[in-house]
Amino acid sequence: MDPYTPRVRTGARKKNLTLSAKEYHKVTDTIASVRRNRHYVEDELVEDIDIRVHASRERRDEPSFEAERSFVRAPLNSRVVSSSGHRDKGKGKARDASLYDVPVEIQEALVLEDLLYVLMGIEGTHITYHPEYSPDDEDPLNGIRFVISPSLDPSLRDLVERILPLATYYTAITAFIESRSHIDFGLVNHALCASMRDMLKDYQTLLSQLEHAFNTSPQFTLQKLWFYVHPTLHTLSLLYLLITDLATADDPTAELSSSSSDVSDAEDDERNEALGLGGAKLKAVLSEIKTTNLGVNGGASGIAVKGGEVLAILHERMQSMSGDPAARELYGSLLRDAGKPYVEMVQAWIRTGKLVDPYEELLVKESKFINRGTLEMDYTDEYWERRYTLRDGSTSGGSSKQHQAGVPPPRSVGGRLPGGACIPAVLERWKHKILLAGKYLNVIRECGIEIRRDPGQEDDGDLSMDDERFYKCIEDAYTHANRTLLQLLLRDQQLIPRLRSLKRYFFLSQSSFLTHLLDLSHTELRKSAKSASLVKLQSLLDLALNTDAQGEDAMFREDVKVTMASSGLYEWLLTVVNVSGLEDGDAAEGHGHAHESQKKEREKEKDDKKQMLAIDALTLDYHVKFPLSLVISRKTILRYQLIFRFLLHLKHVEQSLSSMWIEHKTAPWRRATRPRGTGPEAGRQTPQTPQPPPKDWHSEFENWRKRVFLLRARMLAFVQQILAFTTFEVLEPNWRKLEGKLEAGKVETVDQLLRDHVDFLDTCLKECMLTSSKLLRAYSRLIITCSTFALYTASFTKSANNAIAAADTPDGDHSMAKRWDILGKFETNFNHWYVHLDCVQFYASSENVSLLPLVVRLNSIKSMP
């Protein structure tokens, strides 16, 4: 085989066989630099190898990840170049070399080489760290400042000073990414750091291309470097401004600097130095500890800058820089990337009702200690109102309750709320729909019903906070969740029949069962509230309901239970009205007597519990299961019970007065005691005020009996008019309005359903005169007078029998004065109803127009003889 003979190359290659003077100097300088640094690098490598071998022997039994500090602090930090390490020692002794005698071309080459290091955050030979820079003392988020050797030519210095801020920005951004990649800063910060890291990859790619051009192209100059990095300088400056806002959002450094400057003085420094507590280094350590704690824990508020607050700051930056297209595009890209975890959490919440927020970044907050078991005993609707709430404390009514427990204080007076409590401005008008959509679906999930996705809802894929499809998705999810829960309550859970049964049992729309119950339990209800047997009363109620209820009326009767109230109706209502109706002007006076009044009320309660009869404490209870317990909650059942006790008292008094009328038809009340021939006018008196008894005993006794008949008739008419007004003028019309809304489908949201139901009950309470303290006092006094008068039926009959029997004896009857005295007291107390009428007329003309029919009814009683 013939030997291989290379071909002779011809052409242009011969022109490059020699080097120019500039290229020759560059090569020689590079070789000299490599030779100078060779021994330093070899010594450092040997020392580093020895250290690593020694450390590996000591940590041979430990898991490898525990030895990596950066991995323990944040798994993603392995990708980030740490800027907080030991200061680079540069390039040996050459770093102190002067450039005064070096030609400008050589200075430019040396500075270019240094800049490629400095732009990565590494100290160069002629471009070094600032003399005051200390890795242990400086805040890494401020970036590293570099200074140029004074011997550099002024023509090059100006251009280098324009490029150097790029190194400060890069080191600050790198430190920010390293610190905010900590797990405690949440998913939004992690996504923001990932987006910034991608931008820094482009920056590092640019630097590698510049380094390649520096090594291969003789035409690469400082001017070309500036031309290539100038657009990147603007980008990194925007990132630097953003991280400065994020790092100083809670302003921990300002507090540290102000507090340390106020406390420390020269004498303290000297004393600390003398005690070995050594000033600068100790302060640096304490400052680092405080800054670290404030950085993770969020400063004085205790909450880190994360979640919605990060997005709010990004949005504010984008709005303030809207005149700069590059800035708007950059911040918009960061907002989209950082908002992806936030959008995903919102979508999971509004589509499934599951709140996946491990770092408390979302605008919705869950109180896990409140569960649906509290509905059985909760009188404040905590499950619905407080199980899921907005972190900023605002409610659908538009009010913001930032003073309530659980709402963090703002960063500053009038400033933004911290962490997840800060809702991004683009979501501000959607926050209530986001809350309600997930809340509705969560109720359905609690019922064990599988949540089906709305078939009309499209799969939108990746959404962002600046995408209109995201807000359309919120609207569709809210509509679907609301419609699904409303159908569940109205159709599956039979809400309207349930409310009808409540009306029947509590509003006595068909009160035959109550009359039957009162007749059956007459003896039991005359006992004290403590002595009455609930078991016996419950069995009598079941008997009354089973006898009278038929068809739809018999539905849900097993859910009605008998119970005993712990206090009297009117005393309890007056206490509630006085507490809730205390105005600001009376607050000081009321507060001064609060302690004494509380003692008196406790003593009265003890006496009332001993003396209160079972009929006064009797009430009904109603048990429903979840989710109906959201609508028929303990709060609403309490209102039903108040109205029921009010009607029950009226019914009982009416029944007692009717029984008194039957008693008045017996012989002692109908038997004639006057001898024939005596005029009936002898004993007539006016019905309003008792007259002095006449000398004729028969006329006096006849007059006394007529006065008893008249007082009983007036009381019965008064009670019947109040009862008729309450049932026909108040309860029935308001119920028809609520029922019409539900049947016509005018109730569009579950919250509107809850609100309409509570408003219906509050309107009934107000129009029944149970929310005005003046009306309540006057009315309760009248009803109690009527009830007490009915209890005196047997006493009056006995007194009449005694009077008739004594009239036949020679001594005659001497107790007539006592009878008149007792009757006069009842008449005096009942005549207070004129005060009640005046109060009703005043409130009907000023506050409550619905009381006008009652005024007409009471005036008809006034005209009675």
Side-chain angles (χ1 to χ4, degrees), residues 166-269:
L166 198 60
T168 304
Y169 299 155
Y170 173 76
T171 54
I173 296 169
T174 304
F176 176 83
I177 293 174
E178 181 179 350
S179 64
R180 295 305 167 101
S181 296
H182 194 280
I183 193 171
D184 291 339
F185 283 97
L187 300 177
V188 174
N189 271 313
H190 295 169
L192 177 65
C193 291
S195 182
M196 287 184 176
R197 193 177 294 113
D198 290 338
M199 294 181 180
L200 290 187
K201 284 182 181 178
D202 297 336
Y203 171 76
Q204 292 167 352
T205 302
L206 173 64
L207 290 184
S208 63
Q209 292 173 349
L210 293 176
E211 184 179 7
H212 177 72
F214 171 73
N215 291 329
T216 58
S217 175
Q219 289 80 23
F220 187 78
T221 61
L222 195 59
Q223 288 287 347
K224 283 190 176 183
L225 177 65
W226 168 245
F227 174 78
Y228 287 124
V229 302
H230 180 262
T232 307
L233 179 65
H234 180 58
T235 301
L236 292 192
S237 67
L238 294 174
L239 290 178
Y240 181 75
L241 292 175
L242 174 63
I243 66 170
T244 302
D245 285 351
L246 292 172
T248 59
D250 51 354
D251 201 17
T253 54
E255 293 181 3
L256 287 173
S257 60
S258 62
S259 61
S260 60
S261 61
D262 294 338
V263 175
S264 60
D265 54 11
E267 295 181 359
D268 292 340
D269 293 341

Side-chain angles (χ1 to χ4, degrees), residues 340-481:
K340 281 183 180 179
Y342 200 89
V343 170
E344 290 174 359
M345 287 187 284
V346 170
Q347 284 186 300
W349 168 247
I350 64 176
R351 288 182 175 177
T352 64
K354 296 180 180 179
L355 186 61
V356 184
D357 186 17
Y359 303 107
E360 299 181 353
E361 301 173 276
L362 199 61
L363 70 165
V364 180
K365 176 181 67 173
E366 178 185 10
S367 299
K368 295 184 178 180
F369 63 91
I370 300 175
N371 52 42
R372 67 181 186 180
T374 60
L375 288 170
E376 300 296 332
M377 59 193 72
D378 175 34
Y379 286 87
T380 59
D381 279 358
E382 280 197 343
Y383 180 80
W384 182 257
E385 299 291 341
R386 293 179 54 194
R387 174 70 188 275
Y388 293 101
T389 55
L390 293 173
R391 291 191 185 274
D392 64 350
S394 61
T395 59
S396 57
S399 61
S400 181
K401 302 178 181 178
Q402 294 186 7
H403 61 277
Q404 71 181 10
V407 179
R411 299 287 186 188
S412 59
V413 179
R416 71 171 69 91
L417 294 173
C422 181
I423 300 176
V426 292
L427 290 179
E428 185 65 32
R429 68 189 187 96
W430 296 93
K431 60 183 181 181
H432 297 297
K433 289 190 175 181
I434 292 174
L435 171 67
L436 294 177
K439 185 188 288 189
Y440 295 160
L441 293 179
N442 188 265
V443 171
I444 299 173
R445 286 180 58 251
E446 291 276 346
C447 297
I449 301 174
E450 181 182 358
I451 298 176
R452 298 178 181 178
R453 188 170 181 178
D454 186 7
Q457 189 175 2
E458 301 177 357
D459 190 4
D460 298 322
D462 292 335
L463 297 177
S464 59
M465 300 185 69
D466 58 352
D467 193 345
E468 289 296 329
R469 297 179 302 163
F470 174 57
Y471 303 104
K472 184 178 181 298
C473 176
I474 295 176
E475 183 68 33
D476 294 342
Y478 170 75
T479 305
H480 171 66

